[in-house]
Amino acid sequence: VALGDAVFAFNPYYGQGMTAAAMSALVLDRCLHQRWKKSQNAPIGFGQHFQHQLARSLKTPWRSATRGDRAWLASEDSMITATKPNKISQLLGQYIEQVMLLSMDCPEVHRTMNEIYHMVKPPIAFFQPNIAAKVLMQAWKRKTKPPLLLQDCESSITARG
């Protein structure tokens, strides 16, 4: 069976490779226990079964980790090809930007964001009612399209400079 970087290689920037490798070890342990309980012929087809279970367990962390990389690639690519992300991707990106901005002032949102990044909670936790309500209130207070984080950083640098 293959584990760790032999199966997936996360961008080290996100710091999720060790967590994903530990998750893989847990999946391996669970699969071994399930197979050995069923029969003495457990090795037959075990590798394929394990790799399928591993892929299922790492789908969400992989998507989360690669989403950031795709955003950078998409922004570079869109400058070259003049294409835009679809509306759903744009809305999702704006919502997550608002969550990130809110996390600077709201300890509860900051804690949830860290739990998601450390794979303690699934990304759907960004959409729990208490966070969604705060994001909507924040956007309503601004009464404008949510700004990009980069624009916020640029404006704060310009204001200081």
Side-chain angles (χ1 to χ4, degrees):
V1 298
L3 290 170
D5 285 344
V7 176
F8 51 83
F10 286 100
N11 182 336
Y13 174 79
Y14 302 108
Q16 296 177 325
M18 291 298 291
T19 303
M23 289 171 61
S24 298
L26 292 173
V27 171
L28 178 60
D29 182 59
R30 186 178 67 240
C31 287
L32 284 169
H33 280 93
Q34 288 171 351
R35 283 296 189 144
W36 290 120
K37 283 182 184 178
K38 288 183 179 178
S39 78
Q40 295 299 329
N41 296 328
I44 298 171
F46 176 77
Q48 184 177 7
H49 172 73
F50 167 70
Q51 295 306 146
H52 177 72
Q53 294 300 313
L54 181 61
R56 287 182 63 196
S57 73
L58 293 176
K59 181 170 42 173
T60 299
W62 180 258
R63 286 182 178 166
S64 297
T66 57
R67 186 173 292 122
D69 291 339
R70 275 196 308 269
W72 285 104
L73 291 171
S75 65
E76 251 180 52
D77 191 40
S78 66
M79 286 189 280
I80 296 167
T81 62
T83 60
K84 284 188 171 183
N86 66 34
K87 289 290 184 190
I88 293 173
S89 296
Q90 289 175 356
L91 287 172
L92 181 60
Q94 290 173 352
Y95 181 85
I96 297 301
E97 286 174 6
Q98 288 299 308
V99 170
M100 293 174 78
L101 289 170
L102 188 60
S103 74
M104 292 182 227
D105 298 321
C106 181
E108 175 190 7
V109 174
H110 182 78
R111 183 175 37 261
T112 300
M113 189 171 69
N114 280 334
E115 289 170 336
I116 291 168
Y117 288 155
H118 293 290
M119 297 186 217
V120 176
K121 285 187 176 179
I124 195 74
F126 278 138
F127 300 95
Q128 59 192 355
N130 58 332
I131 292 178
K134 289 175 183 178
V135 167
L136 292 173
M137 286 297 294
Q138 176 177 270
W140 182 74
K141 285 178 185 177
R142 291 177 184 257
K143 293 184 182 179
T144 60
K145 183 178 173 183
L148 296 173
L149 288 176
L150 184 57
Q151 292 170 347
D152 282 351
C153 292
E154 288 174 350
S155 63
S156 66
I157 290 169
T158 306
R160 283 191 230 154

